[in-house]
Amino acid sequence: MPNPDSQDIYQLDYDSMAKVFIDQHRQMLMTCLDGLTEEEARANLVESKTTLLGLVKHATFVERVWFGEAATGKSRSELGIVANPDRSFVLKASDTIESVQRDYAQAVEESRQALNGKTGDDVFPGNRRGPLPVRWVTLHMLRELAQHCGHADILREQILTARKQQPA
């Protein structure tokens, strides 16, 4: 993954640069689960449904909304995703770190394919709001990922701190 702070990234066109930043945030979110137990990944440390595993599962939903639904006009049920964002955080008993990361990686690859050959000036026709410029969708995706990476940083810090405080 290219480093957005690398000299060669500074000279890229806007659309290519945005993809590098999005990919950096995708990777940060994917790796927030590294080294955790299944129990830690499911730990509910805040009043909402937000858990580390749930954040990555939600990111899968977000990828499929913006690069599946918006790009193709397919319904959420056709895409196999829940109807609303709140439900995308809900974990099933069968959800594991491995399965959620695998689903996320697949959704990211599908998103990359949806963007292949597109510029920010192109339009995704299938959003509920109506047609949206790809540039808006990529900026929105970066906003979503940045917000959730911040959540993940805090939750992971809480988990790792609690781990250190457990008796040996």
Side-chain angles (χ1 to χ4, degrees):
M1 172 182 66
N3 177 355
D5 293 321
S6 171
Q7 288 285 336
D8 51 328
I9 302 302
Y10 299 162
Q11 307 310 316
L12 292 178
D13 63 272
Y14 174 85
D15 296 322
S16 299
M17 195 180 297
K19 289 176 187 176
V20 170
F21 276 81
I22 289 169
D23 278 344
Q24 179 192 40
H25 284 77
R26 285 171 170 156
Q27 185 64 30
M28 288 188 300
L29 198 54
M30 176 72 86
T31 60
C32 77
L33 298 168
D34 288 357
L36 299 182
T37 66
E38 295 292 335
E39 182 179 274
E40 289 170 329
R42 288 174 168 272
N44 193 294
L45 304 172
V46 293
E47 287 187 34
S48 69
K49 298 174 193 166
T50 306
T51 64
L52 281 175
L53 195 60
L55 278 171
V56 179
K57 188 171 180 175
H58 171 71
T60 302
F61 166 82
V62 170
E63 294 279 349
R64 290 193 170 127
V65 165
W66 292 108
F67 299 110
E69 180 182 34
T72 67
K74 290 182 180 178
S75 71
R76 291 179 183 189
S77 63
E78 288 176 287
L79 294 168
I81 57 177
V82 295
N84 67 60
D86 287 343
R87 291 186 50 216
S88 70
F89 285 92
V90 176
L91 298 172
K92 299 177 194 169
S94 60
D95 288 330
T96 64
I97 292 171
E98 181 182 346
S99 71
V100 170
Q101 284 180 320
R102 183 180 55 245
D103 290 347
Y104 184 51
Q106 181 180 345
V108 166
E109 185 53 38
E110 292 164 1
S111 296
R112 288 184 181 127
Q113 290 174 15
L115 283 175
N116 192 25
K118 301 265 189 286
T119 71
D121 295 327
D122 289 317
V123 173
F124 281 160
N127 186 261
R128 295 172 184 197
R129 297 173 178 95
L132 291 171
V134 169
R135 186 166 291 116
W136 186 93
V137 172
T138 58
L139 283 173
H140 179 72
M141 181 55 108
L142 183 56
R143 176 174 62 182
E144 280 270 345
L145 291 170
Q147 178 183 15
H148 296 316
C149 282
H151 295 146
D153 282 345
I154 292 167
L155 292 175
R156 185 173 171 87
E157 182 179 341
Q158 287 178 305
I159 290 166
L160 296 178
T161 299
R163 187 190 279 179
K164 287 179 191 175
Q165 294 172 350
Q166 291 177 353

